[in-house]
């Protein structure tokens, strides 16, 4: 427990250790810590930014979805309208077409009837003339009585 | 017990004696008794203190330098993580007590803390363990493995800190400012003798209190370990009394060692914190 030159040795050792620590231990570790601190801060900031962006994107997505829905319902409504229009149009078309066909058919029928009437008339008049000829043979001159026959045929 | 012929008082003395060596008449010689060590005077050296503190300081710097070389901004490995943890603790202590810019203070505080901590830690090695190993080589050789129980070690550090404090006092305030601080307060220039006395005591008390606090705590702790170790040393055959003493030795040294973990850390921390505070005061201009 005597104070001796150990004191000086310890002081020198202490000085050397402090110097070494100051030179080779403290700065690199503090450096690394500072760099890491900055990295962590940057990371946190980036995470915050990402979160913010995500929120914005989500908001935008909802908006887009909303717009799309609206558009879709518009389109559907339009399509429905168009469909009814088309149905109506074709109904009218069909009706006109039908009417037209009916009218045509009626006219043709009438024509046919007229033609048949004409034919029949002709045949009846011919038959009547043939009958009368048979009955009257001699008394009636075809040429002299042609006017009369024509009148009769017209009256039939 | 070093040997059976030793009495309790001899045992204690043996444990409290450093390995004091000097060069006498041209050759290296180590003291074999406290008397002889005393007669060697100032120009002798406590080889055990120097060796142990050098070894421990080297261990500290070895691991911390390794960690410093490996430290990156990435994920730290085990050793690096531990070292960073210690350094951040020191750094926050320095930031808390030292409000100026000085690149010396933090590494100084780190060195003080770790070195003292490691030197104190040697107290937890069973006291006869190393002593008996040394005795195998030379039974007359003393060996104290706790450097902080040697006042040379604590005063060596405390005086170094004191000179650093003086250096920064003069550097920051100028020689005039420093002398003025010593002489012109607290009573103004008419109370000059009283000022010198008060401030002088104040100044001298710094290194002395630093050194003696650490030395006293560690010396007392060591002393208690020695006393506990004596309990079982009266062993002479298996009797109830002997068995009780022996088992209480084991139990008590365990309890004291656990308590000592707190003390050694605390003493290292106090030495470091006071150093920081003294350096802060050295930088402060008085109003």
């Amino acid at each position: 427990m005597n104070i001796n030159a150990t004191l000086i040795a310890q002081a020198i050792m202490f000085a050397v250790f402090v110097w070494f620590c100051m030179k080779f231990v403290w700065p690199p570790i503090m450096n690394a810590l500072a760099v890491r601190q900055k990295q962590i801060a940057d990371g946190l900031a980036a995470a915050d930014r990402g979160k913010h962006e995500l929120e914005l994107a989500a908001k935008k997505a909802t908006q887009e979805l909303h717009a799309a829905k609206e558009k879709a319902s518009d389109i559907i409504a339009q399509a429905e309208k168009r469909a009814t229009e088309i149905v109506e149009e074709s109904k009218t078309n069909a009706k006109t077409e039908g009417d037209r066909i009916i009218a045509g058919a009626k006219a043709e029928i009438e024509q046919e009837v007229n033609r048949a009437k004409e034919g029949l008339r002709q045949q009846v008049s011919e038959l009547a003339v043939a009958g009368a000829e048979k009955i009257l043979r001699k008394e009636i001159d075809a040429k002299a009585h042609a006017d009369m026959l024509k009148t009769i045929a017209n009256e039939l | 017990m070093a040997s059976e012929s030793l009495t309790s008082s001899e045992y204690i003395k043996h444990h409290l004696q450093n390995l004091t060596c000097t060069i006498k008449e041209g050759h290296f010689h180590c003291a074999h008794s406290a008397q002889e060590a005393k007669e060697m005077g100032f120009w002798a050296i406590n080889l055990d203190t120097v060796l142990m503190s050098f070894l421990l300081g080297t261990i500290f710097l070895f691991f911390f330098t390794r960690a410093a070389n490996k430290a990156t901004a990435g994920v730290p490995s085990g050793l690096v993580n531990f070292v960073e943890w210690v350094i951040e603790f020191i750094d926050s202590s320095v930031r808390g007590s030292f409000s100026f810019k000085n690149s010396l203070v933090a590494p100084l505080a780190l060195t003080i803390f770790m070195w003292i901590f490691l030197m104190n830690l040697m107290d937890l090695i069973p006291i006869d363990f190393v002593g008996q190993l040394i005795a195998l080589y030379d039974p007359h050789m003393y060996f104290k493995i706790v450097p902080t129980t040697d006042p040379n070690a604590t005063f060596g550090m405390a005086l170094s800190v004191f000179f650093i404090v003086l250096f920064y006092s003069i550097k920051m305030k100028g020689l005039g400012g420093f002398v003025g601080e010593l002489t012109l307060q607290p009573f103004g220039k008419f109370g000059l003798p009283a000022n010198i006395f008060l401030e002088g005591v104040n100044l001298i008390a710094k290194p002395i209190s630093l050194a003696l606090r650490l030395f006293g705590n560690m010396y007392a702790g060591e002393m208690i370990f020695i006393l506990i170790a004596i309990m079982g040393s009266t062993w002479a055959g298996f009797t109830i009394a002997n068995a009780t003493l022996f088992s209480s030795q084991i139990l008590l040294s365990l309890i004291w060692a656990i308590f000592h973990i707190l003390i050694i850390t605390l003493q290292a921390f106090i030495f470091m914190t006071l150093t920081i505070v003294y350096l802060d005061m050295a930088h402060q201009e008085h109003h």
Side-chain angles (χ1 to χ4, degrees):
Chain A
M1 269 227 299
N2 317 303
I3 293 293
N4 55 29
T6 312
L7 185 89
I8 297 166
Q10 291 292 115
I12 292 169
M13 220 166 1
F14 181 55
V16 172
F17 286 157
V18 170
W19 170 79
F20 191 89
C21 188
M22 198 171 151
K23 195 106 185 161
F24 300 109
V25 176
W26 194 264
I29 291 182
M30 286 317 274
N31 240 0
L33 287 180
V35 171
R36 186 181 312 144
Q37 205 171 25
K38 198 181 166 300
Q39 268 184 8
I40 291 172
D42 287 354
L44 286 176
D48 271 352
R49 226 172 20 244
K51 218 166 140 189
H52 189 66
E53 267 161 22
L54 185 69
E55 260 168 33
L56 283 182
K59 211 180 263 175
K60 208 177 168 192
T62 344
Q63 274 173 4
E64 294 275 306
L65 201 67
H66 211 73
K69 269 183 182 165
E70 243 163 48
K71 211 171 169 182
S73 58
D74 272 7
I75 288 169
I76 288 169
Q78 229 167 26
E80 271 171 358
K81 210 172 128 198
R82 181 87 191 106
T84 25
E85 264 173 26
I86 287 169
V87 169
E88 287 301 315
E89 216 175 85
S90 32
K91 266 186 191 165
T92 342
N93 281 351
K95 208 158 184 244
T96 4
E97 184 73 14
D99 286 355
R100 208 169 51 81
I101 289 168
I102 289 168
K106 270 184 181 164
E108 211 167 312
I109 289 166
E110 215 158 297
Q111 230 171 19
E112 280 301 308
V113 168
N114 285 344
R115 204 177 298 146
K117 269 183 183 169
E118 197 68 27
L120 279 173
R121 211 178 277 149
Q122 198 69 38
Q123 274 177 14
V124 167
S125 66
E126 274 171 16
L127 270 175
V129 170
E133 232 175 16
K134 264 178 191 166
I135 296 160
L136 301 174
R137 191 107 13 150
K138 294 282 179 187
E139 286 169 36
I140 299 161
D141 183 8
K143 274 174 195 165
H145 297 94
D147 281 346
M148 198 181 63
L149 283 174
K150 207 171 235 175
T151 322
I152 293 166
N154 276 343
E155 276 167 14
L156 283 167
Chain B
M1 289 291 275
S3 77
E4 280 184 34
S5 59
L6 237 55
T7 66
S8 290
S9 105
E10 276 167 346
Y11 177 78
I12 295 172
K13 275 183 192 156
H14 185 269
H15 271 285
L16 293 181
Q17 179 56 46
N18 278 110
L19 178 64
T20 311
C21 302
T22 189
I23 294 170
K24 205 158 79 179
E25 289 149 11
H27 51 94
F28 195 70
H29 176 73
C30 292
H32 284 316
S33 69
Q35 186 60 34
E36 205 179 334
K38 196 164 236 159
E39 279 164 5
M40 283 179 177
F42 184 77
W43 292 109
I45 206 151
N46 293 344
L47 211 57
D48 47 0
T49 303
V50 174
L51 279 177
M52 283 311 289
S53 52
F54 179 74
L55 184 71
L56 293 165
T58 314
I59 288 172
F60 149 62
L61 287 175
F62 173 73
F63 281 109
F64 274 59
T65 314
R66 242 174 90 98
N69 290 337
K70 284 202 291 182
T72 57
V75 178
S77 61
L79 173 72
V80 179
N81 198 20
F82 171 74
V83 166
E84 281 176 3
W85 175 62
V86 173
I87 285 198
E88 278 181 337
F89 161 68
I90 305 286
D91 193 46
S92 67
S93 296
V94 172
R95 273 173 213 283
S97 316
F98 188 78
S99 39
F100 301 88
K101 236 181 140 45
N102 191 333
S103 58
L104 172 71
V105 177
L108 178 73
L110 174 68
T111 311
I112 287 175
F113 181 75
M114 283 311 293
W115 199 26
I116 294 181
F117 176 75
L118 286 173
M119 289 196 284
N120 288 354
L121 191 68
M122 293 302 105
D123 220 359
L124 296 180
I125 293 176
I127 50 166
D128 280 322
F129 201 79
V130 175
Q132 293 290 27
L133 279 180
I134 298 285
L136 289 180
Y137 167 69
D138 178 1
H140 295 295
M141 205 157 134
Y142 300 104
F143 203 88
K144 263 169 87 173
I145 57 164
V146 193
T148 39
T149 53
D150 181 355
N152 288 303
T154 62
F155 270 104
M157 234 183 301
L159 286 175
S160 304
V161 169
F162 182 59
F163 286 124
I164 296 173
V165 168
L166 286 184
F167 173 75
Y168 278 109
S169 293
I170 293 168
K171 193 184 166 194
M172 291 295 140
K173 300 161 193 167
L175 193 59
F178 177 61
V179 172
E181 206 167 71
L182 280 182
T183 52
L184 298 179
Q185 52 169 1
F187 299 125
K189 56 184 167 186
F190 298 110
L192 200 107
N195 292 342
I196 289 179
F197 177 71
L198 282 172
E199 289 293 318
V201 167
N202 201 354
L203 193 69
I204 300 300
K206 284 174 186 174
I208 292 179
S209 70
L210 266 185
L212 286 185
R213 180 182 303 108
L214 178 60
F215 165 70
N217 272 282
M218 296 322 294
Y219 189 78
E222 176 84 341
M223 195 69 181
I224 289 175
F225 273 122
I226 294 170
L227 293 177
I228 291 171
I230 288 174
M231 289 178 80
S233 66
T234 50
W235 185 272
F238 193 86
T239 63
I240 301 235
N242 281 342
T244 315
L245 274 174
F246 186 65
S247 45
S248 21
Q249 177 191 345
I250 292 173
L251 191 69
L252 281 172
S253 43
L254 176 71
I255 294 170
W256 184 240
I258 291 171
F259 181 58
H260 222 59
I261 295 173
L262 175 71
I263 294 180
I264 60 175
T265 320
L266 195 66
Q267 286 305 319
F269 179 70
I270 289 173
F271 201 111
M272 177 193 84
T273 308
L274 284 177
T275 304
I276 299 170
V277 170
Y278 291 158
L279 277 169
D280 185 56
M281 284 159 73
H283 283 68
Q284 251 164 26
E285 294 277 356
H286 266 278
H287 331 284

